[in-house]
Amino acid sequence: MKNIISLLGLLLLACPVIHSQFNKDPILNIQNEDKKFLNWGYYLGFNQYDFQFEYETDVSQDILVDKSFGFNVGLIGEMRINDFVDVRFEPGLLYTQRILGFPGFDNEADALREVRSTYIRFPLLAKLSTKRFGNWKPFIIGGGYAAINLGSNEDSLEDNSSGEFRMKKNVFGYELGFGIDFYTEYFKFTPSIRGVFALTDELVRDADPNSPWTGNIAAMRTRGIFINFTFE
């Protein structure tokens, strides 16, 4: 988390286009941008996904999650409600990878499970903005999403006894975040940070109810952080 925030801070400081927006009396760019009823754009970004586990009985050692960075890409459709509220639909594609380390195994092949996920996401969000200050405008954003996990392996007949870790295909959750709109000469550029939290249990359990991999898991839910860069 600290590394991601530091990286975003360095990017903002290093970008002269963004830095110039904080001048005392800037020339106002694209002044009618926020007056459109409908607005369109796209976003690029990266993510770091984790899992949150709940257990049937207390454990002495948690399941470990080795996280890595993935990427996000998608489109934006925005409907203006008033000067401070917009409704946004942000369908997109997300790729992420996690490695799970299960305690109690001596054999690495049994202890480790690689989880590669490709999600098609459908977030519906409300964006609440402040008034515009020169060429920048802070906001908070939040709402719900539905997602399809194309790498879930939900329909596979094999399970962890054969080395196959399975997840549910359909996921529902919510996301919350904040960011700043920067108005450049030709377009609006927006970096934002989002927290993503699944509400549904995503684990497909093994056939054996006493499975050493899934038998003691009451629920497994995704949580993660996004950094998105939007162009509108």
Side-chain angles (χ1 to χ4, degrees), residues 18-117:
I18 294 175
H19 191 268
S20 66
Q21 309 308 311
F22 291 97
N23 291 340
K24 184 177 180 181
D25 296 308
I27 298 173
L28 294 181
N29 297 321
I30 49 176
Q31 298 183 43
N32 295 321
E33 175 66 20
D34 294 336
K35 296 180 181 180
K36 303 174 184 176
F37 177 64
L38 295 177
N39 193 29
W40 313 99
Y42 66 93
Y43 63 87
L44 306 168
F46 55 93
N47 65 75
Q48 190 176 68
Y49 260 36
D50 196 355
F51 282 122
Q52 181 181 34
F53 291 96
E54 297 176 11
Y55 300 99
E56 298 284 357
T57 60
D58 292 339
V59 294
S60 58
Q61 186 176 354
D62 286 329
I63 298 170
L64 301 178
V65 183
D66 183 13
K67 304 177 289 292
S68 60
F69 288 105
F71 66 87
N72 325 316
V73 61
L75 302 174
I76 295 169
E78 181 180 76
M79 183 175 68
R80 180 179 182 271
I81 304 300
N82 56 43
D83 289 342
F84 304 103
V85 180
D86 300 287
V87 175
R88 294 165 69 91
F89 181 51
E90 299 185 356
L93 181 70
L94 177 152
Y95 174 81
T96 190
Q97 178 178 327
R98 292 155 283 187
I99 297 176
L100 301 181
F102 290 89
F105 293 99
D106 296 325
N107 187 342
E108 183 177 290
D110 292 329
L112 300 182
R113 290 290 180 267
E114 185 178 55
V115 182
R116 296 183 179 182
S117 300

Side-chain angles (χ1 to χ4, degrees), residues 157-195:
L157 298 179
E158 297 182 340
D159 60 19
N160 281 289
S161 62
S162 303
E164 188 79 77
F165 186 83
R166 298 177 299 172
M167 297 172 61
K168 294 178 182 176
K169 188 173 184 179
N170 297 314
V171 184
F172 301 91
Y174 67 96
E175 63 181 79
L176 299 170
F178 64 92
I180 302 177
D181 290 329
F182 292 99
Y183 299 82
T184 71
E185 186 175 355
Y186 300 106
F187 60 90
K188 183 167 66 176
F189 171 68
T190 305
S192 65
I193 298 177
R194 316 277 184 90

Side-chain angles (χ1 to χ4, degrees), residues 181-224:
D181 290 329
F182 292 99
Y183 299 82
T184 71
E185 186 175 355
Y186 300 106
F187 60 90
K188 183 167 66 176
F189 171 68
T190 305
S192 65
I193 298 177
R194 316 277 184 90
V196 181
F197 308 91
L199 294 173
T200 50
D201 178 15
E202 297 177 65
L203 181 66
V204 175
R205 286 156 181 81
D206 296 339
D208 180 4
N210 298 314
S211 165
W213 293 277
T214 66
N216 194 39
I217 299 177
M220 181 189 76
R221 299 182 180 91
T222 284
R223 59 184 179 183

